[in-house]
Structure formats: C-alpha cells, structure tokens
Amino acid sequence: MSSSTPGDAVDGCTEKGDAGPEDSLKPTTRALWLVDSVESADAPLNTGSDDFAVIESILQRRRSCRGFKATPVPRDVIGNLLAAAQRTPSWSNMQPWQVSIVSGVALQRLRSALAAAQTPAAPDFPFPEHYDGVYKERRRASGWQLYDAVGVKRGDRAGSAVQARRNYEFFDAPHVALITTEKSLGTYGAIDCGLYIQSFLLAAEALGLGAVAQAALAVRADFLRTWLGLRPERLVVCGISFGFADPAHPSASVVTDRADLTQVATFID
C-alpha cells in the first residue's frame, strides 16, 4: 500500500532527495528508460492475456479449506509460497508482517496447549460489535452452508460448538502460519497484513494447496504471543492453516457466492 505524504513520491517508493530508478542511469540509457515508460503507460489493456486468465482462475477456484490430509508440505514448497507472498505491497514498503510457521511435533503441542488454555478471549484487533443488514445475511448464509455440509442441524448448539473448536485443531492441517504486525504501525500495519494474507492464500492455491484464514486464532492473542515467544508489541492478526486439501471432506463441497458488482462498485464519470 502506498502513501502520499509531504516529501514522498506519489507511489510511496521514493522520498524527496532520494535517487529514483531513472536518476542512476546514464543519459542515453535514461532517455530509453523514459521512452519505455511512456510506451508502457499508453499500452492498451489486454484483458484477454494469459496472465489475467491465470489469476482469474485462481481467484475463482480458491476455497476456505477445512479438511486436510496429514501429509506435510515439503519445506521447499513452503519456501516458494512464502517467497511469492513476500512480494505483497505495503505502505512505504514497511512489510509489517512476521510469519511463524508451526508444523510437526510443535503443532501437536500447540493443539494440546490451545485445548487446555483457560485464557479469556481477547483479540488484539476488536471483532465487529454486531452484524446488520446485508452483512448479517451474508454471514448467516455462509455459516449455514458450512453447517449443512458437515451435518450440524439448526438449533444444534453442541454440534456448532464442536465445529467451532475445529479452528483450534487447525482442521487437522499439518501446518499453521501465524501472522503478526507491529503495534506502532496501527491500523495500516494490519491492513498491509491483510494484503499479505490474500497473497498467501492465492499462492497456496496456485501451488495446489488448501488454506483457510482463521480470525478465531486471533482470539487467543495473549496465549499465542507467550507460546511463540513474541514481544508484547507484536499483535496477532490471524492464523492460516494450510496443507494438502482432502477432497473427500464434507466441507469441500461448500462454495460461497459473491455479491453482484452492482452492489459493491460505483462508477463516477
């Protein structure tokens, strides 16, 4: 995410007094760089390109995975995932995210510790106070899609509680990524982490992995900070359970819809 404050370039990449990419070039090379820049800016948008088709396909097929195989993801594949997500843009390139990947025996310990934890629910970032109108409708619709798929009937509070606890079992995923930001960076540090989470989820999908972002894990922020040995200034944004998806899991049939563009976009000419 870019910023535009006094002394900064509009794109948030070059501060006043700093050399931009063209300033470090020889005169002839600089001229060619400027021509290329103008030609690129005037180039027509090619919405039929292979690149657009790929990203559209990934966005269309990505799902919040709540059923995983036990097979661990090879470390080099996780490295590729993280390297891709690291290209996420952020305010003045601060890159506020820190990622703790928990796997194997450590993940087993974390599952057990969460199950036994008695710490109160206290997320670092307040959850919505209430849901009204269309937001309430969308939340209910997606919730009942999941409950119907896994066999939880309406009014079955015990069944819904069991399903909720699955968050703290990481839905049996072999890995969980816990995302934190620096307290001093405030709201925009968290927003930048949100962009990182999206990059992580899309990169996972592109690599043939399942993943689910879990705000439920952020409810145990104090516990996770202590367990991970993090400084008090690191705020927990969310967790992402990931691994190889189990296509036979009942939740794999859940496909949530999206609002029509007329409900979310306004064109002002």
Side-chain angles (χ1 to χ4, degrees):
M1 180 172 298
S2 62
S3 60
S4 181
T5 54
D8 291 350
V10 174
D11 65 1
C13 294
T14 306
E15 295 185 358
K16 185 177 180 179
D18 290 347
E22 74 279 15
D23 294 325
S24 62
L25 302 176
K26 294 180 180 179
T28 302
T29 307
R30 183 176 184 274
L32 292 174
W33 184 90
L34 291 171
V35 170
D36 288 343
S37 297
V38 172
E39 290 178 347
S40 297
D42 292 339
L45 179 64
N46 181 11
T47 56
S49 71
D50 290 342
D51 286 348
F52 182 80
V54 168
I55 194 167
E56 183 181 37
S57 173
I58 294 170
L59 284 163
Q60 289 281 359
R61 69 176 188 258
R62 191 211 64 81
R63 304 284 182 267
S64 291
C65 181
R66 293 181 175 87
F68 294 89
K69 296 179 179 179
T71 308
V73 178
R75 183 62 59 89
D76 63 329
V77 175
I78 296 177
N80 290 339
L81 191 165
L82 296 177
Q86 191 60 25
R87 297 305 306 172
T88 299
S90 60
W91 183 303
S92 296
N93 199 32
M94 287 186 294
Q95 306 168 67
W97 49 83
Q98 287 289 318
V99 189
S100 301
I101 308 289
V102 187
S103 311
V105 175
L107 187 60
Q108 298 281 9
R109 292 201 308 268
L110 181 55
R111 280 194 184 100
S112 299
L114 276 171
Q118 300 297 320
T119 54
D124 290 328
F125 297 95
F127 283 13
E129 295 180 2
H130 49 80
Y131 300 89
D132 297 319
V134 68
Y135 308 112
K136 184 176 182 179
E137 294 170 7
R138 291 170 184 168
R139 185 170 186 264
R140 280 183 169 175
S142 64
W144 282 117
Q145 275 185 277
L146 174 61
Y147 283 177
D148 287 345
V150 298
V152 177
K153 304 299 181 185
R154 293 178 186 249
D156 182 1
R157 294 187 179 277
S160 61
V162 168
Q163 181 60 32
R165 284 196 296 272
R166 293 279 292 150
N167 278 284
Y168 304 106
E169 298 167 357
F170 314 113
F171 301 105
D172 297 328
H175 312 277
V176 65
L178 297 162
I179 316 298
T180 65
T181 183
E182 193 72 17
K183 183 177 182 180
S184 63
L185 298 180
T187 300
Y188 278 91
I191 291 174
D192 287 341
C193 286
L195 296 175
Y196 178 87
I197 291 163
Q198 170 79 330
S199 297
F200 187 109
L201 296 175
L202 295 181
E205 180 65 35
L207 288 166
L209 304 175
V212 57
Q214 298 169 259
L217 296 178
V219 168
R220 303 295 181 187
D222 284 336
F223 169 86
L224 289 172
R225 242 188 312 275
T226 300
W227 197 91
L228 294 168
L230 301 177
R231 294 180 291 107
E233 294 78 18
R234 294 305 300 182
L235 304 185
V236 179
V237 179
C238 81
I240 306 174
S241 292
F242 68 100
F244 294 104
D246 179 3
H249 193 275
S251 66
S253 64
V254 176
V255 180
T256 55
D257 64 5
R258 294 295 184 270
D260 187 81
L261 290 182
T262 58
Q263 299 180 45
V264 300
T266 301
F267 293 91
I268 303 169
D269 297 321

